[in-house]
Amino acid sequence: MRLPIIKLLTEFIEEKDSDFVLETIETLEALTELPSLKDEELDVIGELISNMYGAIEVANSIEQGTPKKDAMNQFMQRVLGSIDK
């Protein structure tokens, strides 16, 4: 996951709507079913999907009243914590 991408997508969600990102995730998930995709291409799509889900989580946290910086930091701490386990 890349924090700058999640930050940008979170701002996009704030300006527009999370539905745009959710529809993009559905489209990317459908693309992963294509048998001719190479492993590197699947990795890139997977990274994009995970960043988008991360941005949605951060945006939801912000909507619930968490300050933006705190929401980003809490999300990244959860991600890093899950990697350490």
Side-chain angles (χ1 to χ4, degrees):
M1 295 205 173
R2 305 230 12 236
L3 192 57
I5 293 173
I6 293 171
K7 183 178 178 184
L8 178 73
L9 288 170
T10 301
E11 291 169 1
F12 177 84
I13 291 169
E14 289 174 346
E15 292 173 15
K16 308 284 186 190
D17 194 307
S18 63
D19 288 341
F20 290 106
V21 176
L22 290 169
E23 289 172 2
T24 303
I25 290 170
E26 289 177 25
T27 303
L28 290 171
E29 287 175 342
L31 284 175
T32 63
E33 301 298 321
L34 194 63
S36 62
L37 283 178
K38 298 175 184 167
D39 287 341
E40 309 89 48
E41 295 167 327
L42 283 171
D43 289 344
V44 169
I45 292 171
E47 185 70 20
L48 288 169
I49 291 171
S50 67
N51 285 320
M52 288 179 187
Y53 275 124
I56 289 171
E57 276 191 51
V58 171
N60 287 340
S61 183
I62 292 168
E63 282 181 23
Q64 294 172 358
T66 306
K68 184 185 245 181
K69 184 177 179 179
D70 292 342
M72 296 286 273
N73 286 334
Q74 289 169 6
F75 175 75
M76 289 310 291
Q77 286 174 352
R78 281 196 317 270
V79 169
L80 294 174
S82 69
I83 292 171
D84 289 339
K85 293 181 181 182

